[in-house]
Amino acid sequence: MNTPPSIPRQSPAWKTPLLVIGILLILLIAAAATAQWWWSRPIEATVLSSVEQQSLEQKLDAVATSPVESPAEAPYTPGAKVIVLSEREINGLLEMNGLGDQVKITLAKDAIHGRVRTDLDPSIPMVGGMTLRAKARVLVKYDKGNPAIFLVDLNIWGIYMPNAWLADLKGQNLIEFASDEIGHSSLAAGINQLRVAPGEIILTLAD
């Protein structure tokens, strides 16, 4: 006697959508957890090697105005007009000033990316004692023949800051803004060239 073929059992129609929704929820939770870890990760301080630190000190000495010897003994050496700083040197300089684990700078093509992670003063209302996490992106280019720095994005605790909350700071040339604040309109005029490339920044001073 032949046994009739078994009919495959079909899952209820409601199980498939629930399975898809469950997989999506798992993926969303994993993505959120990964994003939270990435956003909360500590800033690793950049510690320069002895060779790198010596090179940085030489660059800083080139623009300093305090020779070791007395003026009568030391030959006159013109100051450097072209200053080239690497990304590691900038972050190493921040570390030397006690900010290495709070501020991180990344140099891209015509852009500077900054990340801040620091504990706020407990006396500040509402947010005192909390850990501030912020990051920003600024563009470096030429506007009307002068070097210009423009704020493109700023977010705090992962929240995008609208331009209205920043007193319309976006779109303004920050060099001109700083010049107005300190009362010197010739700040931009003293810069002949300002260029940012991946991993380094080049500043050429005017005559």
Side-chain angles (χ1 to χ4, degrees), residues 129-141:
M130 298 177 62
T131 300
L132 172 67
R133 299 182 181 90
K135 60 181 180 179
R137 170 181 167 87
V138 298
L139 292 182
V140 179
K141 59 181 183 178

PDB file of all heavy atoms in Angstrom, residues 129-141:
ATOM      1  N   GLY A 129      28.462  68.901  35.375  1.00  0.00           N
ATOM      2  CA  GLY A 129      28.922  67.567  35.723  1.00  0.00           C
ATOM      3  C   GLY A 129      28.781  66.543  34.612  1.00  0.00           C
ATOM      4  O   GLY A 129      29.322  65.435  34.717  1.00  0.00           O
ATOM      5  N   MET A 130      28.075  66.885  33.550  1.00  0.00           N
ATOM      6  CA  MET A 130      27.899  65.965  32.428  1.00  0.00           C
ATOM      7  C   MET A 130      29.133  66.000  31.535  1.00  0.00           C
ATOM      8  O   MET A 130      29.939  66.930  31.588  1.00  0.00           O
ATOM      9  CB  MET A 130      26.648  66.329  31.621  1.00  0.00           C
ATOM     10  CG  MET A 130      25.346  66.229  32.395  1.00  0.00           C
ATOM     11  SD  MET A 130      23.898  66.744  31.417  1.00  0.00           S
ATOM     12  CE  MET A 130      23.935  65.533  30.095  1.00  0.00           C
ATOM     13  N   THR A 131      29.283  64.972  30.722  1.00  0.00           N
ATOM     14  CA  THR A 131      30.385  64.923  29.759  1.00  0.00           C
ATOM     15  C   THR A 131      29.925  65.512  28.438  1.00  0.00           C
ATOM     16  O   THR A 131      29.006  64.998  27.808  1.00  0.00           O
ATOM     17  CB  THR A 131      30.872  63.480  29.547  1.00  0.00           C
ATOM     18  OG1 THR A 131      31.330  62.950  30.797  1.00  0.00           O
ATOM     19  CG2 THR A 131      32.004  63.436  28.544  1.00  0.00           C
ATOM     20  N   LEU A 132      30.555  66.593  28.043  1.00  0.00           N
ATOM     21  CA  LEU A 132      30.209  67.245  26.781  1.00  0.00           C
ATOM     22  C   LEU A 132      30.853  66.484  25.634  1.00  0.00           C
ATOM     23  O   LEU A 132      32.056  66.217  25.642  1.00  0.00           O
ATOM     24  CB  LEU A 132      30.698  68.694  26.777  1.00  0.00           C
ATOM     25  CG  LEU A 132      30.563  69.437  25.435  1.00  0.00           C
ATOM     26  CD1 LEU A 132      29.097  69.638  25.071  1.00  0.00           C
ATOM     27  CD2 LEU A 132      31.288  70.767  25.480  1.00  0.00           C
ATOM     28  N   ARG A 133      30.052  66.144  24.649  1.00  0.00           N
ATOM     29  CA  ARG A 133      30.547  65.509  23.429  1.00  0.00           C
ATOM     30  C   ARG A 133      30.084  66.350  22.248  1.00  0.00           C
ATOM     31  O   ARG A 133      28.888  66.525  22.038  1.00  0.00           O
ATOM     32  CB  ARG A 133      30.026  64.076  23.299  1.00  0.00           C
ATOM     33  CG  ARG A 133      30.462  63.147  24.434  1.00  0.00           C
ATOM     34  CD  ARG A 133      29.953  61.725  24.211  1.00  0.00           C
ATOM     35  NE  ARG A 133      30.339  60.844  25.289  1.00  0.00           N
ATOM     36  CZ  ARG A 133      29.627  60.616  26.379  1.00  0.00           C
ATOM     37  NH1 ARG A 133      28.455  61.223  26.518  1.00  0.00           N
ATOM     38  NH2 ARG A 133      30.047  59.806  27.314  1.00  0.00           N
ATOM     39  N   ALA A 134      31.028  66.875  21.510  1.00  0.00           N
ATOM     40  CA  ALA A 134      30.691  67.750  20.388  1.00  0.00           C
ATOM     41  C   ALA A 134      31.686  67.523  19.265  1.00  0.00           C
ATOM     42  O   ALA A 134      32.810  67.075  19.484  1.00  0.00           O
ATOM     43  CB  ALA A 134      30.719  69.221  20.819  1.00  0.00           C
ATOM     44  N   LYS A 135      31.248  67.806  18.066  1.00  0.00           N
ATOM     45  CA  LYS A 135      32.153  67.751  16.918  1.00  0.00           C
ATOM     46  C   LYS A 135      31.726  68.805  15.913  1.00  0.00           C
ATOM     47  O   LYS A 135      30.566  69.222  15.862  1.00  0.00           O
ATOM     48  CB  LYS A 135      32.178  66.360  16.282  1.00  0.00           C
ATOM     49  CG  LYS A 135      30.846  65.848  15.763  1.00  0.00           C
ATOM     50  CD  LYS A 135      31.017  64.448  15.182  1.00  0.00           C
ATOM     51  CE  LYS A 135      29.690  63.903  14.648  1.00  0.00           C
ATOM     52  NZ  LYS A 135      29.865  62.556  14.054  1.00  0.00           N
ATOM     53  N   ALA A 136      32.703  69.258  15.126  1.00  0.00           N
ATOM     54  CA  ALA A 136      32.449  70.345  14.186  1.00  0.00           C
ATOM     55  C   ALA A 136      33.267  70.123  12.924  1.00  0.00           C
ATOM     56  O   ALA A 136      34.287  69.418  12.928  1.00  0.00           O
ATOM     57  CB  ALA A 136      32.794  71.695  14.812  1.00  0.00           C
ATOM     58  N   ARG A 137      32.801  70.749  11.853  1.00  0.00           N
ATOM     59  CA  ARG A 137      33.511  70.716  10.569  1.00  0.00           C
ATOM     60  C   ARG A 137      33.567  72.132  10.033  1.00  0.00           C
ATOM     61  O   ARG A 137      32.538  72.818   9.970  1.00  0.00           O
ATOM     62  CB  ARG A 137      32.794  69.804   9.563  1.00  0.00           C
ATOM     63  CG  ARG A 137      33.312  69.897   8.117  1.00  0.00           C
ATOM     64  CD  ARG A 137      32.518  68.962   7.211  1.00  0.00           C
ATOM     65  NE  ARG A 137      32.752  69.212   5.803  1.00  0.00           N
ATOM     66  CZ  ARG A 137      33.742  68.678   5.096  1.00  0.00           C
ATOM     67  NH1 ARG A 137      34.588  67.854   5.677  1.00  0.00           N
ATOM     68  NH2 ARG A 137      33.889  68.954   3.815  1.00  0.00           N
ATOM     69  N   VAL A 138      34.760  72.583   9.680  1.00  0.00           N
ATOM     70  CA  VAL A 138      34.924  73.903   9.086  1.00  0.00           C
ATOM     71  C   VAL A 138      35.641  73.748   7.750  1.00  0.00           C
ATOM     72  O   VAL A 138      36.499  72.865   7.580  1.00  0.00           O
ATOM     73  CB  VAL A 138      35.711  74.865   9.996  1.00  0.00           C
ATOM     74  CG1 VAL A 138      34.972  75.099  11.302  1.00  0.00           C
ATOM     75  CG2 VAL A 138      37.108  74.340  10.269  1.00  0.00           C
ATOM     76  N   LEU A 139      35.279  74.594   6.801  1.00  0.00           N
ATOM     77  CA  LEU A 139      35.916  74.612   5.493  1.00  0.00           C
ATOM     78  C   LEU A 139      36.921  75.746   5.433  1.00  0.00           C
ATOM     79  O   LEU A 139      36.684  76.828   5.967  1.00  0.00           O
ATOM     80  CB  LEU A 139      34.873  74.781   4.385  1.00  0.00           C
ATOM     81  CG  LEU A 139      33.897  73.625   4.148  1.00  0.00           C
ATOM     82  CD1 LEU A 139      32.973  73.956   2.982  1.00  0.00           C
ATOM     83  CD2 LEU A 139      34.645  72.321   3.871  1.00  0.00           C
ATOM     84  N   VAL A 140      38.028  75.484   4.778  1.00  0.00           N
ATOM     85  CA  VAL A 140      39.063  76.495   4.589  1.00  0.00           C
ATOM     86  C   VAL A 140      39.188  76.762   3.094  1.00  0.00           C
ATOM     87  O   VAL A 140      39.491  75.851   2.321  1.00  0.00           O
ATOM     88  CB  VAL A 140      40.421  76.015   5.153  1.00  0.00           C
ATOM     89  CG1 VAL A 140      41.492  77.072   4.937  1.00  0.00           C
ATOM     90  CG2 VAL A 140      40.291  75.680   6.636  1.00  0.00           C
ATOM     91  N   LYS A 141      38.924  77.990   2.681  1.00  0.00           N
ATOM     92  CA  LYS A 141      38.999  78.333   1.263  1.00  0.00           C
ATOM     93  C   LYS A 141      39.280  79.821   1.138  1.00  0.00           C
ATOM     94  O   LYS A 141      39.570  80.509   2.118  1.00  0.00           O
ATOM     95  CB  LYS A 141      37.694  77.965   0.557  1.00  0.00           C
ATOM     96  CG  LYS A 141      36.455  78.635   1.098  1.00  0.00           C
ATOM     97  CD  LYS A 141      35.219  78.177   0.326  1.00  0.00           C
ATOM     98  CE  LYS A 141      33.966  78.895   0.811  1.00  0.00           C
ATOM     99  NZ  LYS A 141      32.771  78.485   0.042  1.00  0.00           N
TER     100      LYS A 141
END
